[in-house]
Amino acid sequence: MYIGQTGQSLRKRINGHKSDVKNYNIHKPVGEHFNLSGHAITDMKVAILKQKNFKSRLQRETAELEFICKLDTINLGLNRDLEWLSHYASAELKLLEEATISICKSLVENNPRTGNLGALIKVFLSRTKELKISAECQNHLFIWQAHNALFIICCLLKVFICQMSEEELQLHFTYEERMPGSYGVECEDLIEELLCCLIQLIVEIPLLDITYSISLEAVTTLLVFLSCQLFHKEILRESIIHKYLMRGRCLPYTSRLVKTLLYNFIRQERSPPPGSHVFQQQTDGGGLLYGFASGVATGLWTVFTLGGVGSKPAPQQEQSSPLANQSLLLLLVLANLTDAPDTPNPYRQAIMSFKNTQDSTAFPSPSPHAFQINFNSLYTALCEQQKSDQATLLLYILLHQNSNVRTYMLARTDMENLVLPILEILYQVEERNSHHVYMALIILLILTEDDGFNRSIHEVILKNITWYSERVLTEISLGSLLILVVIRTIQYNMTRTRDKYLHTNCLAALANMSAQFRSLHQYAAQRIISLFSLLSKKHNKVLEQATQTLRGSLSSDDSPLPDYAQDLNVIEEVIRMMLEIINSCLTNSLHHNPNLVYALLYKRDLFEQFRTHPSFQDIMQNIDLVISFFSSRLEQAGAQLSVERVLEIIKQGAVALPKDRLRKFPELKFKYVEEEQPEEFFIPYVWSLVYNSAVALYWNPQDIQLFTMDSG
């Protein structure tokens, strides 16, 4: 029995089937069947199961699927390839989910009796054994059929995982078709078999035009397997799927899987052009089977949008490599799996320990999941892909956790290629989600922990930074640009988000750099003092409000007072940090920064109120000395001095000022440390990226428990 659908007349559709039989078209299921021994075209009988004025092809194919499942023509008939979903347009993804959910639920209900899930998985497993040979022999049909089976498995798994616990899912994998009254189950572990098979497919099947779609499907199915986290508010620490991936048969593939996913990201292979790896499209309308031909040519990676509800990716994202995107998402999910009580996350271990292919030194022992990868290619890919959250998150993980990568990147002589995209993320803070901004900022903080980086950024001269719109910057050092962007981020935070965490990290990055400030651009020097001016005004405003409230409370009732003391304390902490940053620059590199001294002198009145303030007296000594020293020299030079003349006097004075007159303070150094239980932040963040950016995956937002729809 074969179930089909058509938008043509029944006569024309049946004539197409008969033509397949007469022309020995064994690539079609009907043509193949009626050319078998003992069969003839005269045996063919036709029955109409449902006739309706369907509004779309999607509705017809959904009705077709209902009958395929109801009559079980997957196992008992000719509907073996199941490519019915592979050609839906991106706009229909949500509609597809809604249209098929009842069918999938029906399969879930009947699976204990029919064992259809296990049967389909066994079909796929049997086909994957020949995939490598099929790729080498260019066997399009075999790969195509395996891909279609995997696609169906992925769709069904998504419904199973959303509807039930992992324990129930595990049970469904054990069911087999049985007669009423029998209770036999399979003894083999199909979950482990399938997971291991998917990993082998990813790491062993060569990436060709004809294997691109099934490689992507394997990565997607692993993501779906792990998606049980989406439906739990709490972080999963005892997941069954995690145990399979971190132990047993999957464990030996850890380093190969991480390496393959990284190389998929690095290579950014685009989806093959239409028609490059499938059969020619049929002209007879085709029915469900084989009729979509060129639809599957572009594959799921081009017909589905990147992301689900609430996600509207940029055009360049839609055209980029879906396999690279999906591989990166899977890598991030694996890297953030929680450690088991007796087993550390092997995927994180692999990410922490891999080395450059040019590094010939021995791996430290033990390094069970170590491997080597081309750092130059990795660096280039990271520089080019920073517009996406997930690429920025990968960069953070590598800098924070892999000392080999961090050392390599800090030694690069073209750090501007990496730093500029990060600065652009911070500059576009209004358009970016808060997590992306945090990651970019923490990356800068990690980089500024290195004195070599802090020196070298002032030696890199940039021309015409087009995305910086506040002012035309025809020529500026990378260091000065970094200062400008970080200060702008602080000012944005002060007026909009008021996030203390963001404030702290911005100031920490500036503090780390301050001793190495060199030849600051005049605009960067002005912005440092302008930020101090803004903080000073805010301090005075809060102080005035506190004073007025206190006076008013003496003559009013006992209503609670605003906590201005806490606000003052926070502002004074920030002001002190800014004074320490200015002091650090003056103490360590006064003669390198005439523009900062000029800005200090121009706004000297700002600092007057802090000279006698008990919280700032000590740190104001050096600043006050510098202001007094250079003010005196300018007075001696006379009035009506040009800017050029003032700068010349400052440069001469910087040489004349004895260094021992400036009091030495402890060096400003801040180191990034992850907070306790970082998974509470990173796991919801990673899964929000999967939810919004994964190719061809849609989850009903009402089912999501891990995060709210506006998180990230």
Side-chain angles (χ1 to χ4, degrees), residues 255 258-259 262 350-351 353-355 363 369-373:
S255 58
V258 171
K259 183 175 182 177
L262 274 173
I351 288 172
S353 60
F354 72 83
K355 300 196 308 182
F363 281 102
H369 307 296
F371 63 91
Q372 291 182 290
I373 204 167

Side-chain angles (χ1 to χ4, degrees), residues 278-332:
V278 292
F279 305 102
Q280 293 300 309
Q281 186 168 8
Q282 304 298 309
T283 57
D284 62 358
L288 176 64
L289 293 176
Y290 297 89
F292 69 93
S294 65
V296 79
T298 54
L300 304 178
W301 6 274
T302 55
V303 298
F304 289 122
T305 55
L306 296 179
V309 170
S311 172
K312 195 169 184 181
Q316 65 267 26
Q317 284 180 295
E318 292 183 8
Q319 296 168 7
S320 66
S321 166
L323 180 60
N325 178 73
Q326 213 87 326
S327 296
L328 178 53
L329 291 171
L330 176 58
L331 182 64
L332 294 174

